[in-house]
Each structure stands twice: as structure tokens, then as C-alpha cells.
């Protein structure tokens, strides 16, 4: 079986939206330092672009968790692959996600990070598939709501491929 990638959201549209969200965050966090937490690997491209557009002081850290194997269905359990390097105690944290699907990963992540006494926890996601939500999670900043289709690009992968596409595309499977 082979795949074809169809453009869903163009590079220009993604860039424009990230700029808008960056401005919004800068306004909401005026007078504060924003501590961005990137959920690797998917959130990396988005977080770098977002950070460049935030005008209040920014610090960053990275963590890797997994809830997916090599397929396209969530297993529902969270595995810590790489923890944060620094403490988040007293910090205004924003979790930066590539996509929220069932919401399970984010829900578990918020639960974990809350135990470390940050001053606040916000959530910013590039994509959201609201139709797929299983666990109710509060998302503060969403760039795009998308339909229930498997997407790649801008950090998102299918079996570790396509993360480097500069746009967001839908994977179409063909025989
Ligand atoms: P959740 O726990 O079901 O919300 O899954 C979130 C994670 O699943 C994301 O951080 C992605 O790594 C992965 N994921 C969900 N949907 C997609 C998709 O359409 N393309 C690529 N990865 C996805
Ligand atoms: Mg992810």
C-alpha cells in the first residue's frame, strides 16, 4: 500500500495563524515569563515558530511521552521517554502540543505536571480534532480545528515520516 499527501492547511495559513496566536499569548502573559514545554517530537516545529512570535520573555523545556505505537490508534497509556530538564515550580507553563485527538495524552500530562507546583498551566495546540475527544481537556489556544482525518507535516508524523513537510497534509492510502 502506498500513500499520497493532500494539502489540508498551507504553509502560509499555518504561519499566519501562529503569528496571531503568538500575539495573543504575548498579550495574555504581559509582565510574565512564559515557560514553554514542548511535547516531542511532534510539537517541536510548532514551538520554535511560536516562540519566535512571542514578545514577552520566554524560557523553554522539552519532554517526550508516547501514547502511540507505529500505527494511527491511541493506546491510551502514557509512557515517559524524556522528562523535563528543569523544575517548573512557580512558573507560568504553557504545554505546546502538535495535535489533540482523544485528549488522553494531554490529560495525563496535565495531571503529572500539576503535581510539580507550577504557578499556572496553559495549553496551546497547533491542531485539534474535537470530534475524536474521549477525555474532556481545556485547551487555551488552538490554531486549527480539523476533521477526523490522519494528518502529517509541521512536526506530525506517520510512522516517523513526513514531520518535515512545511504544510499540514492528509494521508491518503492507495493500493
Ligand atoms: P491523544 O492522546 O489521542 O490526544 O493523541 C495525541 C497524540 O497522538 C498527538 O500528540 C500525536 O502524536 C498523535 N496523533 C493524533 N492524531 C494524529 C494525526 O492525525 N497525525 C499524527 N499524529 C497524531
Ligand atoms: Mg504529540
Amino acid at each position: 500500500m502506498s500513500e499520497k499527501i493532500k494539502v489540508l492547511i498551507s504553509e502560509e495559513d499555518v504561519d499566519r495563524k501562529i503569528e496571531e496566536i503568538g500575539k495573543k499569548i504575548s498579550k495574555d502573559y504581559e509582565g510574565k515569563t512564559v515557560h514553554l514545554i514542548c511535547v516531542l517530537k511532534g510539537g517541536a516545529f510548532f514551538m520554535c515558530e511560536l516562540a519566535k512570535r512571542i514578545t514577552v520573555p520566554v524560557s523553554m523545556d522539552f519532554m517526550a511521552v508516547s501514547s502511540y505505537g507505529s500505527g494511527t490508534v491511541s493506546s491510551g497509556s502514557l509512557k515517559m521517554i524524556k522528562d523535563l530538564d528543569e523544575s517548573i515550580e512557580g512558573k507560568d507553563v504553557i504545554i505546546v502540543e502538535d495535535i489533540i485527538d482523544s485528549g488522553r495524552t494531554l490529560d495525563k500530562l496535565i495531571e503529572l505536571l500539576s503535581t510539580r507546583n507550577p504557578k499556572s498551566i496553559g495549553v496551546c495546540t497547533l491542531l485539534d480534532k474535537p470530534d475524536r475527544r474521549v477525555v474532556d481537556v481545556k485547551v487555551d489556544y488552538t490554531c486549527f480545528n480539523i476533521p477526523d482525518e490522519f494528518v502529517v507535516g509541521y512536526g506530525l508524523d506517520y510512522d516517523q515520516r513526513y514531520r518535515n513537510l512545511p504544510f499540514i497534509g492528509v494521508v491518503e492510502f492507495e493500493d
Side-chain angles (χ1 to χ4, degrees):
M1 200 159 66
S2 67
E3 308 119 41
K4 216 171 73 184
I5 311 297
K6 191 182 80 190
V7 177
L8 180 69
I9 308 168
S10 71
E11 183 173 7
E12 293 73 26
D13 286 349
V14 178
D15 289 351
R16 207 174 307 125
K17 185 55 97 173
I18 295 177
E19 169 118 36
E20 192 185 308
I21 297 288
K23 275 195 186 133
K24 214 182 262 180
I25 291 175
S26 306
K27 196 162 158 257
D28 293 351
Y29 286 79
E30 217 180 305
K32 299 177 180 172
T33 294
V34 180
H35 191 61
L36 300 177
I37 292 183
C38 173
V39 185
L40 293 168
K41 302 169 190 162
F45 287 71
F46 174 44
M47 187 167 100
C48 293
E49 293 306 313
L50 179 69
K52 280 156 55 180
R53 284 142 175 129
I54 295 176
T55 52
V56 297
V58 168
S59 55
M60 311 181 208
D61 207 345
F62 299 82
M63 71 191 301
V65 293
S66 106
S67 62
Y68 274 56
S70 59
T72 60
V73 184
S74 175
S75 68
S77 63
L78 191 74
K79 198 171 104 196
M80 174 72 71
I81 296 165
K82 183 215 169 294
D83 205 341
L84 297 170
D85 291 336
E86 293 154 38
S87 160
I88 56 167
E89 194 169 339
K91 294 182 183 171
D92 289 301
V93 163
I94 299 181
I95 299 172
V96 181
E97 267 282 15
D98 52 356
I99 189 164
I100 302 165
D101 188 26
S102 69
R104 287 192 182 103
T105 309
L106 184 60
D107 183 58
K108 294 245 167 60
L109 204 55
I110 292 173
E111 193 182 299
L112 170 74
L113 296 182
S114 300
T115 65
R116 301 182 181 181
N117 303 317
K119 190 166 157 212
S120 64
I121 299 185
V123 174
C124 179
T125 188
L126 177 61
L127 303 172
D128 191 347
K129 290 183 192 170
D131 298 346
R132 298 258 306 167
R133 198 70 90 255
V134 174
V135 183
D136 189 29
V137 281
K138 185 174 158 280
V139 183
D140 303 279
Y141 307 96
T142 302
C143 291
F144 301 97
N145 283 313
I146 59 164
D148 179 13
E149 282 179 296
F150 198 80
V151 291
V152 293
Y154 229 94
L156 290 126
D157 73 303
Y158 171 59
D159 218 355
Q160 297 305 324
R161 285 175 299 145
Y162 305 121
R163 291 191 196 276
N164 59 316
L165 294 178
F167 57 86
I168 293 159
V170 174
V171 185
E172 291 179 336
F173 299 94
E174 342 174 282
D175 298 318

